[in-house]
Amino acid sequence: MSSAADTPIDSLAPPAERDWRTLAELVALGAIWGGSFLFMRVAAKDFGPFPMVATRLAFGSVILLPLLWRARSTIRFSHLWKMLVMGALSAAIPFTLFAWGAERAPAGIGAIANSMTVLFAALVAFIGFGEKIGTRKAIALVAGFVGVVILASGRTAGENVAPAAVAGAAASFCYGLAANLIKKYLADISPTAVAAGCLLGATLLMAPLAWMTWPEAPIPTKSWVAVVALGVLSTGLAYAFYFRLIQRIGAPRAATSTYLVPLFGVAWAWMFLGEALTPTMGLAGVVILGSVIFSQKRKA
């Protein structure tokens, strides 16, 4: 029989207290990830995509490195190249696509496009791994793609945002592909070790590109602050926070935090950068986010 000392702290708290704590943590995680698009928008033009992403990954890797070291006994040589590939798909490529888009369009464009990750994960699982998709998710996928088309058709301050919207959708596809591959090929080690290893692998991949394209002009302090916040807060701490939630409440519930990312992404950009929510962005956000939520609902 286990004693109170052996029981997780959350199980000692009343159910109502646990529910409120979980809700608060999910909202906080959505706010942190939504803030990443604000930070990218601030720093992208001064850093450029490759240097910004490499710096972001370096700070994030430093935060998560202790988790990788703790799990070192479970990591075999065969895991290393897999982490390198997954690091490219789950971090290096999508981060670069979002950073490229942040140079060209408001932060809200990337935040809204990011919502497609859940739907792309379902599509990849259906096409590549033979999982059933179901009528509900099929309808949601079509609606989600319609939302991306709507998003790409808009203009902000006379500027065409289609390239940034397409880049954001491509980044979300990379996330969805990586999620399926990680589930298949890295399921035998802890999720936190996977997150840390993938970030470290992505850092190694991006370092040469960052070195070759590092800006010659001095980088302003505000952009350095934004990139440090992007790496430490929105990457390192957020990943650790997310996997802590997965271990406590399970992946499906933890994933609901991603529904809040576009809402916070648009809100932070409006509050701190004065970027307006255009009718096209609003409609696209409703369609994409609605399709994602619809895809997750199940019959009672």
Side-chain angles (χ1 to χ4, degrees):
M1 182 180 295
S2 62
S3 64
D6 299 322
T7 306
I9 294 175
D10 282 335
S11 66
L12 298 176
E17 182 180 338
R18 292 203 305 272
D19 288 344
W20 277 108
R21 184 185 306 165
T22 296
L23 178 61
E25 291 179 350
L26 288 171
V27 172
L29 187 57
I32 291 171
W33 271 339
S36 66
F37 295 93
L38 166 69
F39 299 140
M40 282 190 286
R41 182 64 171 161
V42 170
K45 291 183 179 179
D46 294 317
F47 270 88
F50 293 143
M52 184 178 74
V53 171
T55 307
R56 170 187 184 175
L57 288 167
F59 279 108
S61 298
V62 168
I63 297 296
L64 292 182
L65 202 56
L67 301 177
L68 186 62
W69 179 256
R70 189 184 305 169
R72 65 189 184 280
S73 61
T74 65
I75 298 174
R76 301 187 299 275
F77 182 79
S78 61
H79 289 130
L80 299 181
W81 72 266
K82 293 177 183 177
M83 287 182 176
L84 198 64
V85 173
M86 301 310 166
L89 290 173
S90 67
I93 296 174
F95 285 4
T96 301
L97 287 168
F98 278 126
W100 183 86
E103 288 185 291
R104 292 159 175 81
I109 297 295
I112 294 170
N114 183 71
S115 303
M116 286 292 293
T117 297
V118 175
L119 299 181
F120 276 127
L123 181 63
V124 171
F126 171 67
I127 295 175
F129 299 93
E131 293 188 16
K132 293 182 178 180
I133 196 169
T135 303
R136 181 180 290 274
K137 285 190 176 180
I139 294 172
L141 277 167
V142 173
F145 291 132
V146 169
V148 172
V149 172
I150 294 172
L151 185 65
S153 68
R155 303 182 75 87
T156 303
E159 296 292 329
N160 184 7
V161 300
V166 173
S172 297
F173 175 77
C174 289
Y175 285 148
L177 177 60
N180 282 277
L181 293 176
I182 287 171
K183 180 180 177 181
K184 182 174 179 63
Y185 295 110
L186 288 173
D188 54 338
I189 55 179
S190 70
T192 51
V194 171
C198 288
L199 283 186
L200 184 59
T203 304
L204 296 176
L205 290 173
M206 293 300 300
L209 295 173
W211 181 77
M212 289 188 292
T213 59
W214 195 267
E216 296 180 2
I219 298 173
T221 302
K222 68 174 184 178
S223 293
W224 272 110
V225 171
V227 168
V228 171
L230 190 61
V232 173
L233 185 62
S234 299
T235 306
L237 292 179
Y239 269 59
F241 198 19
Y242 179 58
F243 284 109
R244 175 176 173 269
L245 274 171
I246 288 177
Q247 291 173 343
R248 196 173 82 234
I249 64 176
R253 288 189 68 193
T256 58
S257 61
T258 60
Y259 302 162
L260 301 173
V261 171
L263 305 180
F264 278 107
V266 171
W268 296 145
W270 171 72
M271 289 174 62
F272 295 105
L273 300 178
E275 294 181 353
L277 174 65
T278 65
T280 303
M281 289 170 60
L283 177 59
V286 169
V287 172
I288 294 174
L289 192 57
S291 68
V292 172
I293 295 174
F294 177 76
S295 73
Q296 300 302 299
K297 292 176 69 67
R298 296 181 179 179
K299 294 180 180 179

